[in-house]
Amino acid sequence: MTPAEPRGDSTPDADASGGPLSVMVDEPPVTARDAETVAPAARRRWRWTPRRLDLAVYGVFLLAALWVTSGIWADPAGRVAALYSSDPAQVQFFLAHSVRVVLHGEFPFFTEQFNYPDGVNLMANTAILALGIPMVPVTLLFGPAVSFVTLVTLGLAGTAAAWYRVLSRHLVRHRLAAAVGGWFCGFSPAMLSHANWHPNIISQFLLPFIVWRVLVLTRSTRPVRDGALLALLVTAQAFVNEEILLFTALACGVFLVAVVVQQRERWAAAWRPLGAGLAVCAVLAGALLAYPLWVQFAGPMAYHGLSDTVRDYGNDIAAFFTPGSPTLGGNERANVNLAPNYSEENAFFGWSLSLLAVGIVVWLRREVVVRALAATGLFFAVLSLGERVSWWDRDLITGPWELLVKLPLLDAVVPTRFGLITTVVVGVLLALAVQRAAALRVVERRTMRTLTAAGLVFALLPIAPMPLRVTTRPAVPKFITADRWRQYVGPDQTLVSVPVPAMGNTDPMRWAASTDLAFKIPGGYFLAPRNGVTGDPGRFGGRPSGIGELLADVEATGRTPKLDDRQRRRFLDELRHWRAAIVVLPLNEQNAEPLRRTVEQLVGPARQELDVWLWDVRTLTSQSA
């Protein structure tokens, strides 16, 4: 349905050197006939062949990704993004779970290794199995912290490379145009923001191929085969990130509708192969995903709808005209109230790129594809504003998301992330603009190149990627790394850290991940139904914990409370519910001394073992106690 697919069949193009979608370069590849007439010395001369150009572009993307993550690569286990949140520890936990799936045949969609004994529904928590399982060798050899930063690096570079590949083969004829579009799709401010914490969101390397295969279906002569190929891509993406897959499906729908509205005659030829292919895709992907989706929506610890904490996350209108925090022109303080937090800066194009994007649409407005892209980008930009539309943190009107947020599936969406689709639209518009500029003959070629380069610098330099700011984090205690815990903790018992694992205290999840989840912990950072009741609305963390809240307050305030007998009995009941074997407090924990005195009121004196305070509570929590 687009100029990118001029043939009536769906056979993918073999490469850039042949076929109607071949990429034009300044010096075309030497054919076999030409080679016979070229002198041997000339044939041996090094040339920028299409393959070498591709490799050079991929290399630039990889170097840029290493530049962005360089601060973490310096010490993966000891550094984390300075704008710290709990997500890196959660991802490392999931990576360790993938090791257990591969080596021990553990059930992939549910685990009791944290939030014991209730467990966690991993299908409802983006356990990234499609990323974690291929990374098992790296996790085993170097640890989950190295796997985490590897995924972030490959997510940025891989997404840029994938968009470059699809754009250069199926939309634009100049590799520079495809490289610019791929660069922005992979290194936009939104991608850099998520790179701090969310490798599942920035790993979008399957999305351009999904979009391409959907467009192929509109002209396919083999819809069954093409629908099956699409189903495999959809299934793989479901195990990377379902939310991004949903956005992509919605974006394809909006784009196709926008095309058909402009050229209704296309529908007559497209609806049969498209309908047949999508039907095949739905049946096959539905069969492959039926059981995992059942676990997600009806299995143990399933929930319906996101926590109210994130359901109202939306972009401020001003966020589209401000550079992102992790960019050359970014200012963290200026961006404080324009996004829900630093990990959700899902717009932040800056004034120059925003103006350029509007200018491109006006310039190329006669093209059907450009108008359809503009409609798609605007649609998702409006949805990303959330339930309340605001300008510089001042509420203006109620947003359209207010009408959609309670619909099935959409009640599990973080609305600010709709801006990621607008980001892709801008990247494709940049590619089309560079392509058109290269074809202009109103001025000499050198002048046109200079003007194009100046326009790109004007638009992209303020949001150029910078290395992620990092900070140190506490090392995993030697008590854990030396396996001293093994003499205390049995298979159906837990190691309880002080403070108790929660959204604001994920270090114990890193401890467990460093041992490939060899011991269980209570609590943790995850999404689960409120009060642990399957089917209830979601919230962060498990059922409320009295001892967890108490110890978190002591850590924050440094004040030691006076506990009465009733509190002691209630807190001991929680330790029995968790089947606690030992309670562990690192010596270097914030306010360690007040925390130690508080725990001693509950379970008696502590003893130091290596670099932790230790309480052996097995006699207090056994079934006979």
Side-chain angles (χ1 to χ4, degrees), residues 454-616:
L456 292 175
V457 169
F458 169 75
L460 299 180
L461 184 60
I463 55 172
M466 297 297 291
L468 301 176
R469 289 181 49 214
V470 297
T471 187
T472 57
R473 58 183 174 182
V476 176
K478 293 180 181 177
F479 177 79
I480 301 296
T481 58
D483 284 345
R484 294 285 281 272
W485 59 272
R486 291 185 184 274
Q487 59 187 293
Y488 302 102
V489 185
D492 293 321
Q493 296 175 311
T494 62
L495 182 154
V496 180
S497 67
V498 179
V500 176
M503 183 177 181
N505 177 39
T506 56
D507 286 340
M509 296 178 68
R510 292 194 297 111
W511 304 355
S514 71
T515 68
D516 294 330
L517 310 189
F519 59 83
K520 295 178 171 68
I521 60 175
Y525 173 43
F526 51 90
L527 278 163
R530 294 174 186 173
N531 301 314
V533 179
T534 297
D536 277 3
R539 57 159 284 171
F540 287 108
R543 63 183 70 193
S545 164
I547 189 172
E549 293 175 0
L550 170 72
L551 295 176
D553 183 67
V554 173
E555 182 193 36
T557 64
R559 294 194 296 268
T560 304
K562 183 70 174 177
L563 305 181
D564 56 32
D565 290 339
R566 180 174 173 273
Q567 289 174 305
R568 293 190 189 95
R569 288 194 299 271
R570 183 157 59 92
F571 294 154
L572 283 174
D573 284 343
E574 284 196 51
L575 291 177
R576 294 189 182 102
H577 175 71
W578 294 334
R579 300 180 188 176
I582 54 176
V583 178
V584 174
L585 169 63
L587 298 180
N588 62 352
E589 185 69 50
Q590 177 179 305
N591 287 320
E593 190 58 24
L595 285 168
R596 182 181 65 83
R597 291 195 297 264
T598 301
V599 177
E600 286 183 337
Q601 293 184 60
L602 297 173
V603 295
R607 73 170 186 271
Q608 182 177 342
E609 189 161 339
L610 295 180
D611 52 351
V612 303
W613 291 112
L614 177 70
W615 291 267
D616 185 345

Side-chain angles (χ1 to χ4, degrees), residues 208-418:
F209 298 101
I210 291 175
V211 173
W212 167 49
R213 297 313 302 180
V214 170
L215 297 179
V216 162
L217 282 176
T218 64
R219 296 190 173 197
S220 176
T221 58
R222 303 175 65 181
V224 174
R225 183 203 66 173
D226 292 332
L229 290 175
L230 179 61
L232 296 178
L233 290 170
V234 166
T235 301
Q237 178 59 36
F239 291 108
V240 176
N241 187 280
E242 292 174 311
E243 187 177 40
I244 299 298
L245 176 61
L246 175 62
F247 291 170
T248 304
L250 293 173
C252 288
V254 172
F255 176 79
L256 292 175
V257 169
V259 171
V260 170
V261 166
Q262 300 175 75
Q263 295 184 337
R264 297 183 182 180
E265 66 277 7
R266 288 181 177 269
W267 182 243
W271 76 269
R272 291 181 186 277
L274 179 63
L278 291 181
V280 171
C281 175
V283 170
L284 181 55
L288 294 172
L289 294 172
Y291 181 64
L293 291 178
W294 178 87
V295 173
Q296 177 176 346
F297 293 107
M301 295 298 285
Y303 60 87
H304 298 291
L306 287 178
S307 166
D308 292 337
T309 307
V310 299
R311 196 169 118 178
D312 192 32
Y313 278 6
N315 292 327
D316 192 288
I317 295 176
F320 288 92
F321 307 103
T322 308
S325 295
T327 65
L328 179 62
N331 186 326
E332 294 172 11
R333 294 183 180 180
N335 295 351
V336 167
N337 296 318
L338 301 183
N341 54 57
Y342 290 118
S343 72
E344 297 290 351
E345 291 190 357
N346 293 296
F348 293 88
F349 301 144
W351 278 106
S352 54
L353 180 58
S354 298
L355 291 173
L356 181 62
V358 173
I360 291 171
V361 173
V362 173
W363 176 33
L364 304 179
R365 64 188 180 278
R366 296 183 183 277
E367 296 187 16
V368 172
V369 171
V370 170
R371 293 198 297 267
L373 285 170
T376 304
L378 181 61
F379 178 83
F380 283 93
V382 171
L383 287 186
S384 77
L385 301 178
E387 297 181 53
R388 293 185 302 276
V389 178
S390 61
W391 171 257
W392 287 107
D393 201 29
R394 295 179 60 183
D395 288 348
L396 301 178
I397 58 175
T398 299
W401 185 244
E402 176 77 19
L403 304 175
L404 303 174
V405 67
K406 295 182 181 179
L407 294 178
L409 297 182
L410 295 184
D411 62 354
V413 162
V414 182
T416 175
R417 294 177 184 173
F418 282 121

Side-chain angles (χ1 to χ4, degrees), residues 36 55 97 260 285 499 584:
E36 296 176 358
L55 292 175
H97 172 72
V260 170
V584 174

